[in-house]
Amino acid sequence: MACVQRPLIIQSHIIRLSCPRTARRTSSGLFSRGRLHTRTVTDNDISRLASLPLHPLTLADLVKHGRPPLTTQQLLTSANFTLSILPGRLAHRIQSLRNLPFIVVSNPHVSKIHSNYIHSLSTLLPWAEQEITTLEEEVKFTEVMADLVQTHANTISILARGFLEARKYISPKDVTRFLDEHLRARIGTRLIAEQHLSLHFSSQPHNEIMHEQEGSPGFIGVIDTDLKPARIVDHCANVVGEICELKYGVRPHFVVNGEPDYTFAHVPVHLEYIITELLKNAFRATVESGMERESIEITIAPLPETLLQSDDPEDMETDVISNVDQGNTDVASEHFTGKKGTTDSQIRPLKHSTPGVTIRIRDRGGGISPENLQHIWDYSFTTFNDDQASSTLSGQSSGGGMDVLNVMSGPGGDGGNSLAGLGYGLPLGRAYAEYFGGGIAVQSLWGWGTDVYLSLRGVGKVEEGRTQNRQRK
């Protein structure tokens, strides 16, 4: 039995649990790097794919293929679903980059990202006009997904450095709008690819090549249907507390109240990143204001049942997810060319059977000053002066303060070292929260403290849906 090295580095710890470090080599060459079939990407390909309508992605879309281990037919269905939506999304990213001013796209970093998207689309085009019908084809297609995830591992940090170097030719406001849109679209692209990778490794047809213990029964790919927010909060608070103690010599206390046993279905790595960013701010403010004796209060509150059971259209208005929310419209870059943006599409996936949760983080860290409050959602590097930009581009930290916390890893492939000092914490956290219909709200009492409300929506009653499907069959 030959051992093969895992072919890619996937930051999501859920994916890492699903991807084995050793496996039997198959006749098709499981995840053999560098042998992908490609096709030249033409301008007509990009225009055609970018003109196709895009629809918002829901968590329900990602779990509809059933719980692992998937059967052969379920696995093939997952592969074809993934194939049906990724080429158009990649074409939109390419078109969005091309809509930027030419001098910006000519920057080596921005140009590299453009080339990466062209490469990924070239590996998908050979599959775009066919249906995946055999396990051998599915294995080869999964190699393409692994290559896509690895290729775009550091997209955001590379783009940030490109925009730093090109800051004379594009305004900070335009950079913020473009990155926010691009970042949101990237969340979906990676999630779609990672979901199929995870389902592939946990499927029945490929179980014989796995040599690790079976994953948690609550997982469907990268989604935990029994996710307990209190467990994520406790883990993140302890990690941030240890680093805070390393930096300052003290760590604030924290208490978790509300309903700590509550569970719902969501992506754990997304929640972990959001909570970590929010706690970093709360811990830092608490220590630097000398209020470390005051506990940081974290309250977990499930969505009220009365709201969940409401079918009133007015109650559902805030539950709409649109292409604008998920960065699929290319509006941020198309104003440079005067082109009309993609027609928006809205869906209402958050029905009464979809549970959710609100997590409040309350600190006594003195609050946020009025002049800073209006900029908390900006990418901080867009306001760098020349010295700060130079130090960041040379790999040195420019943010000051609690820099040691900036080296913590983020989700989706962007390691902390590559994002340190760029001010991505809150904007990125809000993008992950809003992607599936949640959000982050901040209420600050200057001179006293800050309350942050994180709301998230889940998948719904997955088990009920599967039971009904079996009964129909």
Side-chain angles (χ1 to χ4, degrees):
M1 178 179 69
C3 293
V4 295
Q5 186 175 3
R6 203 174 78 194
L8 72 163
I9 300 173
I10 303 175
Q11 294 299 322
S12 167
H13 67 282
I14 305 301
I15 287 288
R16 289 203 300 269
L17 291 175
S18 301
C19 298
R21 295 185 180 276
T22 58
R24 292 192 184 95
R25 190 182 298 276
T26 65
S27 59
S28 58
L30 180 62
F31 287 3
S32 51
R33 183 92 170 132
R35 296 193 297 176
L36 299 178
H37 180 53
T38 62
R39 199 181 89 186
T40 302
V41 178
T42 66
D43 290 344
N44 287 336
D45 290 326
I46 296 170
S47 299
R48 175 178 56 84
L49 291 170
S51 66
L52 298 176
L54 294 180
H55 300 286
L57 181 71
T58 70
L59 286 168
D61 290 329
L62 300 176
V63 302
K64 66 182 181 181
H65 306 297
R67 287 190 181 276
L70 267 59
T71 64
T72 298
Q73 187 54 51
Q74 288 173 320
L75 185 61
L76 295 178
T77 301
S78 171
N80 283 303
F81 169 76
T82 303
L83 177 59
S84 70
I85 56 181
L86 277 185
R89 288 171 179 260
L90 293 178
H92 270 273
R93 292 306 95 222
I94 295 170
Q95 181 174 267
S96 179
L97 285 165
R98 290 182 174 183
N99 286 340
L100 291 170
F102 179 76
I103 194 169
V104 176
V105 184
S106 300
N107 176 273
H109 298 291
V110 180
S111 180
K112 175 179 175 57
I113 298 304
H114 177 268
S115 298
N116 286 346
Y117 277 101
I118 292 289
H119 164 75
S120 293
L121 185 55
S122 74
T123 64
L124 278 172
L125 283 182
W127 301 89
E129 297 178 358
Q130 69 180 67
E131 184 178 358
I132 299 171
T133 58
T134 67
L135 284 177
E136 182 178 3
E137 290 177 343
E138 188 275 330
V139 168
K140 292 179 179 179
F141 176 72
T142 305
E143 293 178 13
V144 175
M145 293 299 95
D147 179 80
L148 185 149
V149 169
Q150 185 173 6
T151 298
H152 299 275
N154 294 307
T155 291
I156 303 301
S157 55
I158 294 173
L159 273 180
R161 279 161 173 78
F163 282 122
L164 266 177
E165 293 179 354
R167 63 191 182 279
K168 295 181 180 179
Y169 312 109
I170 186 170
S171 71
K173 183 179 179 181
D174 286 335
V175 171
T176 295
R177 287 192 302 182
F178 177 85
L179 280 179
D180 191 55
E181 185 176 81
H182 196 95
L183 181 151
R184 290 169 187 263
R186 178 177 176 273
I187 290 173
T189 300
R190 287 189 63 90
L191 194 58
I192 293 164
E194 290 184 348
Q195 179 71 353
H196 181 71
L197 280 169
S198 182
L199 292 175
H200 168 92
F201 284 117
S202 59
S203 65
Q204 292 177 12
H206 301 295
N207 266 349
E208 67 221 26
I209 66 171
M210 314 313 287
H211 290 277
E212 295 188 358
Q213 293 183 351
E214 208 173 298
S216 169
F219 278 92
I220 300 179
V222 297
I223 298 171
D224 186 358
T225 59
D226 297 316
L227 177 62
K228 183 180 289 188
R231 185 181 297 119
I232 299 288
V233 166
D234 188 68
H235 168 73
C236 294
N238 282 312
V239 171
V240 174
E242 289 178 3
I243 300 178
C244 189
E245 188 170 11
L246 176 66
K247 171 70 176 181
Y248 293 101
V250 296
R251 69 162 71 189
H253 300 286
F254 70 94
V255 294
V256 179
N257 54 33
E259 296 192 25
D261 293 328
Y262 177 73
T263 62
F264 76 129
H266 208 76
V267 185
V269 71
H270 290 183
L271 178 59
E272 183 176 331
Y273 176 80
I274 298 168
I275 292 295
T276 298
E277 288 300 324
L278 297 181
L279 289 179
K280 279 162 56 176
N281 292 334
F283 275 51
R284 175 180 179 177
T286 300
V287 172
E288 292 188 349
S289 63
M291 300 296 290
E292 59 269 11
R293 293 182 180 273
E294 297 287 339
S295 296
I296 294 172
E297 183 181 348
I298 305 166
T299 304
I300 297 172
L303 202 64
E305 291 294 330
T306 53
L307 181 58
L308 291 177
Q309 295 171 359
S310 174
D311 290 319
D312 189 335
E314 293 185 2
D315 291 339
M316 296 293 290
E317 286 183 359
T318 58
D319 296 340
V320 172
I321 296 178
S322 71
N323 276 324
V324 173
D325 298 324
Q326 297 191 347
N328 298 330
T329 54
D330 302 333
V331 173
S333 64
E334 286 181 336
H335 79 277
F336 290 111
T337 61
K339 295 180 180 179
K340 185 178 180 180
T342 305
T343 302
D344 188 30
S345 176
Q346 296 184 337
I347 54 177
R348 291 184 174 181
L350 307 178
K351 300 180 181 178
H352 66 275
S353 62
T354 304
V357 66
T358 297
I359 301 173
R360 183 190 67 185
I361 300 176
R362 169 173 288 178
D363 68 69
R364 285 286 312 278
I368 306 170
S369 66
E371 58 269 23
N372 289 332
L373 186 60
Q374 59 183 327
H375 296 296
I376 61 174
W377 305 116
D378 294 342
Y379 295 94
S380 298
F381 78 91
T382 59
T383 60
F384 281 177
N385 58 37
D386 288 344
D387 290 339
Q388 290 173 314
S390 298
S391 63
T392 298
L393 289 171
S394 64
Q396 302 170 12
S397 175
S398 59
M402 208 175 198
D403 296 327
V404 68
L405 287 182
N406 288 332
V407 302
M408 298 177 66
S409 296
D414 282 304
N417 287 322
S418 62
L419 292 177
L422 293 175
Y424 271 76
L426 279 178
L428 180 57
R430 183 174 68 168
Y432 276 100
E434 292 181 349
Y435 196 83
F436 291 118
I440 298 178
V442 177
Q443 292 186 346
S444 175
L445 187 59
W446 179 227
W448 182 264
T450 304
D451 284 2
V452 179
Y453 296 85
L454 166 65
S455 61
L456 296 172
R457 292 299 191 94
V459 176
K461 299 181 179 179
V462 179
E463 287 297 339
E464 278 191 9
R466 292 200 66 220
T467 301
Q468 292 170 1
N469 290 336
R470 286 197 294 265
Q471 290 174 347
R472 290 192 190 103
K473 294 177 182 178

